[in-house]
Amino acid sequence: MELKKQDLNVAIVGATGAVGGKILEKLVERQFPAKSIKMLASKRSAGSKIIVEGKNYIVEETVPESFEGIDIAFFSAGGSISQTFAHEAVKRGAIVIDNTSAFRMDADIPLVVPEVNADELNRHNGIIANPNCSTIQMVTALKAIKEKFGINRIIVSTYQAVSGAGAEAIEELSEQSLQMDSRTDIKAVLLPSASAEKHYPIAFNVIPQIDLFDESGYTLEELKMMNETKKIFADEKIAVAATCVRLPVVTGHSESVYIELNREDVSVEDIRSAIKTTPGVVIQDDPSSQLYPMPLYAEGKDEVFVGRIRKDPTQPTGFHMWIVSDNLLKGAALNSVQIAEELIK
Amino acid sequence: MELKKQDLNVAIVGATGAVGGKILEKLVERQFPAKSIKMLASKRSAGSKIIVEGKNYIVEETVPESFEGIDIAFFSAGGSISQTFAHEAVKRGAIVIDNTSAFRMDADIPLVVPEVNADELNRHNGIIANPNCSTIQMVTALKAIKEKFGINRIIVSTYQAVSGAGAEAIEELSEQSLQMDSRTDIKAVLLPSASAEKHYPIAFNVIPQIDLFDESGYTLEELKMMNETKKIFADEKIAVAATCVRLPVVTGHSESVYIELNREDVSVEDIRSAIKTTPGVVIQDDPSSQLYPMPLYAEGKDEVFVGRIRKDPTQPTGFHMWIVSDNLLKGAALNSVQIAEELIK
């Protein structure tokens, strides 16, 4: 499917969500060649107004006919909405860039981080999947290391922000944060997952559950990181184990990542040099001046930040590092817009 | 040095600190056979009053003569205070249980977690070191696994509470937590470390630095976990790598722990059975009912909680787990009091 390079008609499904709004902002900020941007959401949100750089966007209800004449449709309204409407959009000639987990592991649907596997875009059949936020920042940071030195194995523990669970989770953290002195009495209604049976406070707490559990004892979020990393790297043999954890942080996911290379002769300096070659990845790594990535400072930034790079004390192929990025930007909206940019290159 | 089993004269150095107060509470709660408890602190705090179970304790200034007639002296006022006064106490006949890092790695000073290596108490020369909080909960949880199946390797990423940095750090989190909407403007004065040059907000943030950096690129907190674990397990060959991270949590350290065993034939059930044999360790591990340890619920509890126990997806000897405990109790005050109890058994 070829795409003309300007005057595109764009739709954003999930326009009122945390990520949908960021997609609109990024399209405007990066001067994406859109003739029109249609903001779509549920019937409940229809009629509401979104203002970006002085321009009004009126939200419309998502129906199959919404996609008539649309060239690119960004989906970020949950997996079931994508299941219902993505094929309707494709049928009407749109290319879908889907930010949910609905199609990510379908063998015939590309799962794309442009810095890592843009070539996969050549084989799409109308739908392109945007990976999970915690996966994107990790594979972007590790891509050049993998290419140059080979990576056998990844063990990652995440420190994830509440905005990954949507705008309501930010509200929940905001209210709970005022209750430090009565923290054990805090009422929770949303986290760890709206669809979970039990809810736990996130303020002054740490919840080692993101999304639901699989019968394996891993959560779906952990399995996403494990499976999506293999697909994006096109490497079934790479060993990936994840522990995914939610924290009282508004925006910005952090990751403590351990990797094992194929070779023993690699230095920290070699790792730094490799990482620097990936566009959009920034090294913040100078212990002597306390320079390392932190989510509070990554919020609102497009880059993936890497620091605390150091050799494992005993394993000669092993390295540890700390990777931080804005989960709503490179982890979601920005990556989706970058996919669209790549398509019209 | 033999200790009589009752009518002991006890001193607590650092009486006004977060841990000092908890030591007093635990001594009273556990009916430690103390005839007197002397509360010692800096000159500045002398004269202040601490009330536990209706009884008043007046804080006195610490001077060498404070230890005349003292049988057991708990030290928890920072390494330099221990360096200055611990030997003065020993000289006057006291046994020192030191909760700072001053003597932990001295070869002739036992570093003790009673559930793990109580036998080390037989070789003390007046000073016994209490390990670092993040080390204690990990070795307590892993002790029975190591004994039964052998552990070759540990990779740990921590999620540490601010109370580990003292009472002032709790104040700092409390003030900052009210400023979510202006979070990037928050002023920080203490964390990550009072002695560090730069300070960063902890509310709505994650700081991958605890204590200062070593020239190796690891922090002193990470090196404590790595070195103390070897000493407590009396195993120079065990590989330990740590990433230590501070979070906006009041009390309760969490740890994402990966271990590799000496054997391939071990099941998750075997791991659970082993863990259960250690007194004070509680398994909270049922994904189907969302049961896993969380710091908000571990606060104020004596136990070490373990959950999320699962096999690594590819490494047949590898297991992941999630370990949580109150860093002021088992991580500090309780362990110190348990050492004293062990001494008079």
Side-chain angles (χ1 to χ4, degrees):
Chain A
M1 213 179 294
E2 274 219 2
L3 208 60
K4 54 185 193 292
K5 305 211 184 326
Q6 52 184 13
D7 297 338
L8 296 161
N9 293 307
V10 173
I12 301 174
V13 183
T16 54
V19 173
K22 295 284 178 194
I23 291 174
L24 175 59
E25 284 176 31
K26 284 291 153 192
L27 289 173
V28 173
E29 174 195 315
R30 295 167 73 92
Q31 302 186 296
F32 189 80
K35 187 166 61 182
S36 71
I37 302 176
K38 191 185 271 190
M39 300 298 278
L40 299 170
S42 66
K43 194 171 183 172
R44 191 166 44 90
S45 299
S48 58
K49 196 193 293 178
I50 297 169
I51 305 173
V52 170
E53 293 203 358
K55 205 178 155 190
N56 288 345
Y57 299 84
I58 308 296
V59 177
E60 300 172 37
E61 184 188 352
T62 314
V63 292
E65 294 69 32
S66 305
F67 301 99
E68 297 288 355
I70 293 294
D71 298 299
I72 297 183
F74 295 95
F75 275 72
S76 187
S80 63
I81 302 293
S82 293
Q83 295 282 5
T84 308
F85 291 108
H87 291 289
E88 297 289 345
V90 173
K91 209 157 61 179
R92 287 169 176 81
I95 295 180
V96 167
I97 300 172
D98 184 40
N99 191 40
T100 75
S101 62
F103 309 111
R104 284 181 191 149
M105 295 310 296
D106 285 11
D108 57 349
I109 290 182
L111 182 67
V112 177
V113 178
E115 295 88 340
V116 182
N117 63 343
D119 53 321
E120 277 282 287
L121 291 172
N122 298 322
R123 68 170 188 94
H124 81 82
N125 295 308
I127 299 178
I128 297 150
N130 192 77
N132 192 49
C133 45
S134 49
T135 312
I136 292 178
Q137 68 184 63
M138 185 172 79
V139 297
T140 305
L142 297 184
K143 184 254 183 178
I145 304 170
K146 181 161 197 312
E147 222 162 65
K148 198 149 184 195
F149 308 115
I151 298 176
N152 289 325
R153 177 163 207 204
I154 302 170
I155 298 173
V156 52
S157 295
T158 71
Y159 300 68
Q160 295 183 230
V162 299
S163 59
E168 287 169 12
I170 301 177
E171 267 313 297
E172 183 154 288
L173 173 60
S174 175
E175 285 167 26
Q176 293 178 358
S177 293
L178 305 176
Q179 304 171 56
M180 181 168 136
D181 290 341
S182 54
R183 59 192 172 277
T184 51
D185 297 327
I186 288 175
K187 295 262 177 302
V189 296
L190 182 66
L191 291 168
S193 167
S195 54
E197 271 191 37
K198 290 181 188 165
H199 303 290
Y200 303 116
I202 187 64
F204 315 106
N205 197 19
V206 174
I207 306 179
Q209 178 188 358
I210 299 183
D211 211 331
L212 304 177
F213 281 96
D214 182 73
E215 68 279 358
S216 64
Y218 285 86
T219 61
L220 300 184
E221 183 83 355
E222 289 160 356
L223 293 168
K224 282 177 209 165
M225 287 197 82
M226 291 152 67
N227 296 325
E228 292 178 17
T229 298
K230 291 179 191 221
K231 180 168 175 176
I232 296 165
F233 279 151
D235 181 356
E236 261 310 304
K237 281 187 290 185
I238 189 170
V240 190
T243 301
C244 290
V245 179
R246 188 82 71 189
L247 308 179
V249 167
V250 181
T251 291
H253 287 352
S254 307
E255 298 174 342
S256 171
V257 176
Y258 170 72
I259 56 170
E260 275 174 22
L261 309 180
N262 284 338
R263 295 161 42 173
E264 295 202 352
D265 59 343
V266 180
S267 70
V268 166
E269 217 25 76
D270 294 334
I271 294 282
R272 283 209 188 95
S273 303
I275 289 176
K276 277 179 195 161
T277 63
T278 307
V281 181
V282 173
I283 294 185
Q284 293 183 327
D285 191 14
D286 180 13
S288 71
S289 66
Q290 291 178 259
L291 178 68
Y292 35 69
M294 287 180 279
L296 194 59
Y297 303 102
E299 189 179 344
K301 304 242 168 63
D302 284 348
E303 292 82 6
V304 174
F305 300 95
V306 187
R308 303 280 344 257
I309 305 168
R310 59 212 196 278
K311 273 218 152 191
D312 187 83
T314 53
Q315 174 55 251
T317 67
F319 290 85
H320 300 268
M321 64 190 72
W322 178 254
I323 302 171
V324 179
S325 193
D326 185 317
N327 50 296
L328 300 179
L329 297 181
K330 185 56 187 167
L334 174 65
N335 196 68
S336 288
V337 172
Q338 285 174 318
I339 290 172
E341 290 171 344
E342 197 65 38
L343 283 171
I344 61 168
K345 245 186 196 168
Chain B
M1 213 179 293
E2 273 220 2
L3 209 61
K4 55 187 193 290
K5 304 210 183 329
Q6 52 184 12
D7 297 337
L8 295 162
N9 293 310
V10 173
I12 300 174
V13 182
T16 54
V19 173
K22 296 286 177 191
I23 291 174
L24 175 59
E25 283 177 30
K26 284 292 152 190
L27 288 173
V28 173
E29 174 197 315
R30 296 166 74 92
Q31 303 185 298
F32 189 82
K35 187 167 59 182
S36 71
I37 302 178
K38 189 185 275 193
M39 300 299 277
L40 299 169
S42 65
K43 192 170 184 175
R44 190 167 45 92
S45 298
S48 59
K49 196 193 291 181
I50 297 169
I51 305 174
V52 169
E53 293 201 1
K55 200 174 161 192
N56 288 346
Y57 299 83
I58 308 295
V59 176
E60 301 171 37
E61 183 189 352
T62 314
V63 291
E65 294 69 33
S66 305
F67 302 99
E68 297 287 353
I70 294 295
D71 298 299
I72 297 183
F74 294 95
F75 274 72
S76 186
S80 62
I81 302 294
S82 293
Q83 295 281 8
T84 309
F85 291 107
H87 291 289
E88 298 288 346
V90 173
K91 210 157 60 179
R92 288 168 175 81
I95 294 179
V96 168
I97 299 173
D98 183 39
N99 191 40
T100 76
S101 60
F103 308 110
R104 284 180 191 150
M105 295 310 296
D106 285 11
D108 56 349
I109 290 183
L111 181 66
V112 176
V113 179
E115 296 88 340
V116 181
N117 64 342
D119 53 322
E120 277 284 285
L121 292 173
N122 298 325
R123 67 170 187 95
H124 81 82
N125 295 310
I127 300 178
I128 297 150
N130 192 76
N132 191 49
C133 45
S134 49
T135 312
I136 292 177
Q137 67 183 65
M138 184 171 81
V139 298
T140 306
L142 296 183
K143 183 254 182 176
I145 302 170
K146 181 160 198 312
E147 219 164 68
K148 198 149 186 197
F149 307 115
I151 297 177
N152 288 325
R153 176 162 206 203
I154 303 171
I155 297 174
V156 53
S157 295
T158 72
Y159 300 67
Q160 294 184 230
V162 298
S163 59
E168 287 170 12
I170 300 176
E171 268 313 297
E172 182 154 287
L173 173 61
S174 175
E175 286 167 25
Q176 294 179 355
S177 292
L178 305 176
Q179 304 171 57
M180 180 167 136
D181 290 340
S182 54
R183 58 192 173 278
T184 51
D185 299 326
I186 288 174
K187 296 262 176 304
V189 296
L190 183 66
L191 291 169
S193 167
S195 54
E197 271 191 36
K198 291 181 187 164
H199 303 289
Y200 303 116
I202 188 64
F204 315 106
N205 198 20
V206 173
I207 305 179
Q209 178 189 357
I210 299 182
D211 210 328
L212 303 177
F213 280 96
D214 182 73
E215 68 280 358
S216 65
Y218 285 86
T219 61
L220 300 184
E221 183 84 357
E222 289 161 355
L223 293 168
K224 283 176 207 166
M225 287 195 82
M226 291 153 68
N227 296 326
E228 292 178 16
T229 299
K230 291 178 190 220
K231 179 167 175 177
I232 297 165
F233 279 152
D235 180 355
E236 262 309 305
K237 280 188 290 183
I238 188 169
V240 189
T243 301
C244 289
V245 179
R246 187 82 69 190
L247 305 180
V249 167
V250 181
T251 292
H253 287 351
S254 307
E255 298 174 341
S256 172
V257 177
Y258 170 72
I259 56 170
E260 276 174 21
L261 308 180
N262 284 339
R263 295 162 41 172
E264 296 201 353
D265 60 342
V266 179
S267 68
V268 166
E269 217 24 77
D270 294 333
I271 295 283
R272 283 209 188 94
S273 304
I275 289 176
K276 276 180 198 161
T277 61
T278 307
V281 181
V282 173
I283 294 185
Q284 293 183 326
D285 191 13
D286 180 12
S288 72
S289 67
Q290 293 176 257
L291 179 67
Y292 36 69
M294 286 180 279
L296 195 59
Y297 303 104
E299 190 179 343
K301 305 242 168 61
D302 284 348
E303 292 82 5
V304 174
F305 300 94
V306 187
R308 302 284 338 261
I309 305 167
R310 58 211 196 278
K311 273 218 151 189
D312 186 83
T314 53
Q315 173 57 252
T317 66
F319 289 85
H320 301 267
M321 64 190 71
W322 179 252
I323 301 170
V324 180
S325 193
D326 185 316
N327 49 296
L328 301 179
L329 298 182
K330 185 57 187 167
L334 174 63
N335 195 70
S336 288
V337 172
Q338 285 174 318
I339 289 171
E341 289 171 346
E342 196 67 36
L343 283 171
I344 61 168
K345 244 186 197 168

